[in-house]
Amino acid sequence: MINPKQGLHSFARIYQAKNTPPNARAKVFGNFAAQLADSDAVHETDAMMLQNAQEQYSINTIEEMAALARMDARKGTAFLKNIGLAPDMQTRILGLLDKVPEGKEILQEIERYEKLNYSFGCDLDFSSPPPDENFLRPAQAGGVTFGAAPPGAVPPGSVPGGAGLAAPTAGVNLIDGYMPPIRDQANRGTCVAFTCVACLEYYMARFRGQSVDLSEQFQFWNMVTSTGQRNLVSGFPLLKNSGVCREQTWPYYGNVIPPNDDQGPPPAPALAEAPAFRSRDVRQISARSVSAIQDELRQARLVGIGIPVYQSWFNSGIVRQRGNITVPLPGEVPMPIGHAITLVGFMDDPDFAGGGYFIVRNSWDHYWATLSVLGSGYGTIPYRYISNFNWDAWSIIA
Amino acid sequence: MQKAGHPLREIAGFDQNLVARLRDELSVTTAEEFVGLWHSSPVELSNMLGGEQRTSGLALLAKSALSKEEIESLTRSENSDYPFKTGHEAPPSGKQTF
């Protein structure tokens, strides 16, 4: 059988070389793989992220990674970050390649191909919902259905029971082609806005065929000026009543500007534009009902929740790496301010307190859950946390 | 989902009742998670497990399952300079939910 990536240096090969005695690496794997294994360019802690890149994006060689790293460096894109790799991966990969002869050749070859111009000429119709192509079909992995949309959650134009639908299972994972990229609230206490907007963006992409980047800044300003509060019960109804303008109309700025907490007023077009991007209805769900939240997710509706935060998981290095939030210890006092996050799936699993977990989408960029098996930025919260401590839960129903 | 890490059930000194209790009450099943708890909330963890001496002994056992690199990696994550801001107000006084 032909290996379509023959001659490229896979990360698996580099890890194999790392597991081989240093004096035998070059003989078994060649000079270049041995140099990569000897260097600090690929860490043991990268393994899960690289496995994820292989499974999700079919990217599994140093050459493919280097091409993306160059693109990020030259064009300011964030491909490596978006596929879940560590923030310093670009520097590590390009730095090493630039130091060794074979690496320099690889970079020169990539550069040569970057200069080629490829023309294409396919008209795209952005006014219609995307077709339900194969890449959006649900997929099974690790007992979880990725992108499942049960009956009742049918995108406009789809036929119930047709392609793109899957029977409800013991687990749902909505991290699919409709899910917007992980976002970053940075230095501001704006998690509520990020949760509201994530739910609206997903809803619009999935059920209206409209993929749009909406403004967390607008939502935060609207919530604070309209209600004086910072919670989901104030934020979610505004998705219906006011809508949210596009990110490009009022971009989010991640640093605090004292004393202007909401960073208003909005630019003139924002208020006029927002009603074009709003939900028709939102619903508050019984906050501590695991089954009620599961029912929403089975209908492909993301669920925004507000939770108390505890030091036991908030400051834990392993939770920051893997993203598996743990239940607070007995007698533990919550921190003064809670957090809003988005639930994007669930799975019954006896290894988690309460018999399963919800999949969490956070708004701490890829700095949280850096090594999560679900992809960086995504973690889990056990059913028990929800049933015992959750404050609030909302979804968009129309 | 199999959590990545070193399962507590495979570490001698963590009896199966304790392993089950940590799993069912806290959702803690790996040595990494136990060490994380010991670092972030030692007092509450000691109170739960019946004293500081026993708990620090268990933490040492859990740590012994981890390599030096793994411990360093956890420490780096604990000391991350990312702000991890939150921002959701609690329910009104006296209420547990909204």
Side-chain angles (χ1 to χ4, degrees):
Chain A
M1 183 177 176
I2 295 170
N3 174 8
K5 294 189 181 179
Q6 191 171 13
L8 305 183
H9 297 84
S10 72
F11 287 104
R13 190 178 172 86
I14 295 163
Y15 282 116
Q16 285 171 337
K18 274 179 178 283
N19 289 333
T20 303
N23 58 1
R25 287 174 182 168
K27 189 173 179 184
V28 177
F29 296 100
N31 282 335
F32 184 54
Q35 286 166 332
L36 288 169
D38 293 341
S39 76
D40 193 37
V42 181
H43 299 166
E44 292 293 325
T45 51
D46 294 325
M48 291 299 295
M49 293 185 293
L50 291 170
Q51 185 183 33
N52 185 55
Q54 175 173 323
E55 289 172 358
Q56 301 260 342
Y57 304 99
S58 196
I59 294 169
N60 62 352
T61 68
I62 199 90
E63 287 84 352
E64 291 167 312
M65 205 65 78
L68 289 178
R70 274 185 59 86
M71 198 120 63
D72 284 348
R74 288 169 55 242
K75 298 190 174 180
T77 52
F79 286 119
L80 293 188
K81 188 170 128 183
N82 289 340
I83 64 176
L85 295 179
D88 64 339
M89 196 85 183
Q90 173 190 322
T91 319
R92 281 191 270 140
I93 296 278
L94 293 182
L96 174 79
L97 292 182
D98 208 29
K99 279 185 198 157
V100 299
E102 196 168 341
K104 283 181 178 167
E105 286 175 21
I106 289 171
L107 290 178
Q108 284 166 2
E109 194 71 355
I110 291 172
E111 190 177 355
R112 192 166 70 83
Y113 278 91
E114 284 170 351
K115 288 176 181 166
L116 299 177
N117 283 318
Y118 298 94
S119 298
F120 51 91
C122 175
D123 290 334
L124 297 176
D125 178 7
F126 289 106
S127 62
S128 302
D132 195 11
E133 297 287 5
N134 286 343
F135 63 85
L136 290 178
R137 280 185 185 169
Q140 291 282 339
V144 175
T145 303
F146 289 83
V154 185
S158 296
V159 180
L165 297 176
T169 66
V172 167
N173 183 335
L174 299 173
I175 307 172
D176 54 20
Y178 303 107
M179 186 65 70
I182 289 289
R183 301 266 157 74
D184 184 8
Q185 68 180 91
N187 287 301
R188 297 171 63 194
T190 49
C191 57
V192 173
F194 278 79
T195 293
C196 292
V197 168
C199 291
L200 183 57
E201 286 181 348
Y202 185 86
Y203 185 87
M204 297 197 73
R206 178 148 204 151
F207 297 105
R208 296 192 195 162
Q210 194 174 8
S211 180
V212 58
D213 184 359
L214 297 173
S215 169
E216 288 85 3
Q217 171 54 46
F218 182 93
Q219 173 67 9
F220 184 71
W221 166 83
N222 198 15
M223 175 178 67
V224 172
T225 55
S226 303
T227 71
Q229 297 179 39
R230 293 156 180 80
N231 49 39
L232 294 175
V233 79
S234 305
F236 250 81
L238 295 173
L239 300 178
K240 174 185 173 184
N241 298 334
S242 310
V244 182
C245 75
R246 288 174 300 169
E247 174 71 12
Q248 67 192 65
T249 304
W250 194 6
Y252 181 80
Y253 176 64
N255 288 322
V256 175
I257 307 176
N260 187 2
D261 178 44
D262 60 49
Q263 300 190 5
L271 285 170
E273 182 183 288
F277 304 102
R278 65 178 167 183
S279 65
R280 283 189 281 274
D281 207 358
V282 296
R283 174 158 72 193
Q284 189 174 30
I285 306 156
S286 177
R288 298 190 176 177
S289 170
V290 167
S291 61
I293 294 173
Q294 287 174 332
D295 285 345
E296 293 300 301
L297 292 164
R298 284 196 188 95
Q299 296 180 74
R301 296 172 184 156
L302 305 192
V303 177
I305 63 168
I307 56 169
V309 175
Y310 294 86
Q311 296 281 357
S312 55
W313 68 262
F314 181 75
N315 287 327
S316 166
I318 191 64
V319 177
R320 288 180 178 178
Q321 281 189 0
R322 303 289 177 183
N324 298 309
I325 293 172
T326 51
V327 177
L329 287 150
E332 193 174 358
V333 178
M335 294 166 67
I337 300 294
H339 193 37
I341 49 180
T342 310
L343 302 183
V344 301
F346 68 90
M347 187 73 190
D348 292 343
D349 187 329
D351 271 347
F352 289 74
Y357 59 84
F358 288 99
I359 301 174
V360 167
R361 172 192 161 97
N362 212 332
S363 51
W364 292 336
D365 205 346
H366 296 275
Y367 296 102
W368 187 77
T370 52
L371 302 177
S372 169
V373 296
L374 296 158
S376 61
Y378 291 97
T380 65
I381 189 167
Y383 289 166
R384 187 181 166 91
Y385 201 117
I386 299 299
S387 62
N388 288 13
F389 302 98
N390 193 29
W391 284 341
D392 203 1
W394 286 80
S395 72
I396 294 173
I397 57 172
Chain B
M1 180 178 80
Q2 177 71 44
K3 281 185 189 172
H6 300 78
L8 287 175
R9 64 174 178 270
E10 294 175 6
I11 299 175
F14 278 82
D15 70 63
Q16 293 313 301
N17 287 336
L18 175 61
V19 169
R21 190 177 172 210
L22 290 168
R23 179 194 64 214
D24 296 342
E25 293 184 20
L26 303 180
S27 219
V28 167
T29 56
T30 68
E32 287 86 341
E33 288 176 325
F34 192 86
V35 171
L37 270 190
W38 176 241
H39 285 182
S40 63
S41 308
V43 175
E44 291 87 351
L45 186 61
S46 296
N47 289 341
M48 178 184 175
L49 298 182
E52 186 184 342
Q53 194 174 354
R54 180 186 184 221
T55 311
S56 59
L58 289 167
L60 281 176
L61 277 176
K63 260 188 176 172
S64 67
L66 309 180
S67 69
K68 188 182 161 199
E69 290 77 19
E70 286 168 330
I71 292 171
E72 285 171 357
S73 169
L74 291 177
T75 307
R76 273 200 303 276
S77 295
E78 283 170 1
N79 297 330
S80 166
D81 55 7
Y82 182 77
F84 298 107
K85 289 286 182 183
T86 55
H88 192 293
E89 293 164 342
S93 180
K95 293 187 74 179
Q96 293 191 323
T97 60
F98 281 92

